[in-house]
Each structure stands twice: as C-alpha cells, then as structure tokens.
Amino acid sequence: MTLQLFNKRPFSLVLLPLAQGIVLGTALIMLSQHSAIAASGVTINGVVPQPDYSSSSQGYPYSSGPVGSRATVNGRSIKEMGGKTYSSTPAQGPVILRDLGALPLPVWRMAKAIFEASQEDSLDAMRMAIEMNEMPPSFGAVAADNNDPVAQLRSLSQSGEDEEILNALFDTLNSGFVHVGQNTPYEAYVWPYFAHYPISSLDTAQREELRQLLPQDAYEQTIQSGQYAYYILGISPDGVWQYFVKEQ
C-alpha cells in the first residue's frame, strides 16, 4: 500500500554549478526568491518550483518547473482556491509538509538516499545511507542488540523478508511530513506527519491516506487508541538520519 507521490524509478542527482562571475547581490536575490517560494507553499505536482536540485524537470519530487495550472497548495489546486496561496492546514494540527524541494539541502540529500535504497531488492542497499551518518540511526531498542546497523534494520521485519522493511521505508517517505522541535536539540523533519498530528482531527481524506499507509491491524490500533502506531523516520536539519523506529 503506497501513496503515489513518487514514481518508482531511479534518478541521478545533479548539483547545479555556481557560475563564476555571479555577484553576491545576485546570489542574495536568488536566495530571497527561493525563500519566498518555499514559504508560500506553492507546488507543482507536490513540488516546490525552486531550487532545482535535480537535472530532471518532469514532476519528480526533486525537480522543478514553471508554476502553471497544476500548481497546488497542500494538495489543492490554486485554481480551485481562487488563486490564493494560503495554507489550508487545520489550526488544531501542525503544518503538514509535502514539498521535498522546500527541505534544507542536507535533509533532502539524506531523504533521497534512503528513498533510492528503499527501491532495491535488499536492505544491504541501505548501508550507503546509514554510513552517511557519523553514527548509525536508531532502529529501536530491540534492534540495538546487533552491532551491524543493516542487521538491526533487518531485525525489524516480522516476516523475515527485507521487502517488508523496504516497503515501509518507501511508503513512509511517500507521506506528508512535519518539522518539529524548532529551537531545541530535538529539531527534526519527521515522516509521516501522522506521528505528530491529532488522529481524532483527521478528516475523511486523511483517514483514507492513513489507511493506505498502514497495515490493517496498525490502522485499527491507531484509530482506536488515537495514537499513531507504525514506523516513523526522523532526519535532523543538518541531514543526520536520527531514527527509523516503530511506534507502539
């Protein structure tokens, strides 16, 4: 069960070279424009138009393109909203983010590495993302019994199959996310947003989104308890993968 915000296909990261001779004033203007776009929440197929961290421009989460009729805010078309770009996030919950282009570049790089590895056939592919950290991420108390972080991750699988955890990682990064703990040592970008959102406040569309994300037993537990009960993934603003653990 996945939320099709991504296409399952590989892609390559191409960092834009900074041309020589660009004056500081021009760079500051570009930065200002990016900040304004990211703050507005304007997206194209769920993607903030700037910056273009990828060589692709075909609607992939790490690409950019011109704002047009497909531009959305929190999943609603700007045309539908009468051309306004205000946030439609309910006041009772945190701001739900869906635009990976608005992430700090270190966070985006780590999320990309995890997402790409989640499309492989073996959890061994996750080693590169894990080793981007100075210290391995936390995979929970039970997983900590093993010294090898890939083996720790593999131990989370109830079926014993790598595919179970790879799918969980893929689906988790396909969901909306939240930015929590600002101005504290625990600041992080956390997937999925349900982990920090009042379950009782979910509307019909959000409940369906939750149902597609979770196995049936985890969905029922989450609805009954009012507490999210499945995997969560956190990356700190400096791009460190902090954890991938199962909430109970």
Side-chain angles (χ1 to χ4, degrees), residues 63 68 101 118-120 136 172 174 194 210 222 233:
S63 66
S118 74
Q119 299 177 77
E120 300 296 333
T172 297
N174 259 322
F194 298 109
L210 179 68
T222 297
L233 187 151

Side-chain angles (χ1 to χ4, degrees):
M1 294 180 287
T2 64
L3 306 179
Q4 294 301 321
L5 301 179
F6 296 87
N7 294 321
K8 264 197 171 182
R9 62 177 185 270
F11 64 100
S12 60
L13 173 65
V14 178
L15 295 177
L16 294 177
L18 185 61
Q20 293 183 350
I22 295 179
V23 296
L24 179 60
T26 303
L28 291 174
I29 290 172
M30 292 172 64
L31 178 59
S32 174
Q33 290 174 338
H34 163 54
S35 299
I37 292 171
S40 72
V42 177
T43 72
I44 297 159
N45 288 348
V47 184
V48 170
Q50 295 288 342
D52 186 355
Y53 293 141
S54 169
S55 60
S56 168
S57 60
Q58 301 178 13
Y60 205 74
Y62 301 101
S63 66
S64 70
V67 175
S69 61
R70 293 177 297 167
T72 66
V73 176
N74 290 335
R76 296 179 59 196
S77 70
I78 290 179
K79 182 177 180 181
E80 175 189 357
M81 298 172 67
K84 299 179 180 179
T85 58
Y86 55 80
S87 171
S88 60
T89 302
Q92 66 268 30
V95 176
I96 301 169
L97 306 171
R98 299 185 186 274
D99 303 318
L100 299 184
L103 288 169
L105 183 54
V107 179
W108 178 86
R109 284 174 173 157
M110 179 58 80
K112 172 183 177 290
I114 300 169
F115 178 74
E116 286 188 328
S118 74
Q119 299 177 77
E120 300 296 333
D121 296 328
S122 170
L123 279 170
D124 292 322
M126 204 62 61
R127 192 175 298 278
M128 184 181 74
I130 292 172
E131 291 180 350
M132 289 170 66
N133 277 8
E134 183 176 349
M135 298 291 291
S138 170
F139 298 124
V142 175
D145 291 340
N146 197 305
N147 291 328
D148 177 29
V150 172
Q152 290 180 12
L153 193 55
R154 186 170 280 124
S155 72
L156 300 177
S157 175
Q158 293 182 341
S159 66
E161 299 293 331
D162 286 7
E163 184 179 13
E164 177 186 330
I165 304 304
L166 291 168
N167 286 343
L169 284 159
F170 179 85
D171 292 345
T172 297
L173 283 175
N174 259 322
S175 65
F177 56 98
V178 290
H179 183 195
V180 299
Q182 291 91 325
N183 302 315
T184 76
Y186 309 103
E187 182 177 4
Y189 291 84
V190 178
W191 287 259
Y193 72 87
F194 298 109
H196 289 271
Y197 200 91
I199 300 301
S200 60
S201 297
L202 297 178
D203 60 26
T204 301
Q206 289 173 311
R207 285 200 174 210
E208 177 60 20
E209 182 183 2
L210 179 68
R211 188 191 67 77
Q212 293 184 44
L213 175 64
L214 305 186
Q216 185 62 29
D217 58 345
Y219 174 77
E220 292 175 355
Q221 180 181 344
T222 297
I223 294 300
Q224 291 172 5
S225 68
Q227 298 291 326
Y228 178 77
Y230 204 51
Y231 290 106
I232 62 172
L233 187 151
I235 303 174
S236 58
D238 57 359
V240 174
W241 183 4
Q242 295 289 345
Y243 51 83
F244 178 69
V245 295
K246 197 171 190 178
E247 292 284 87
Q248 300 294 337

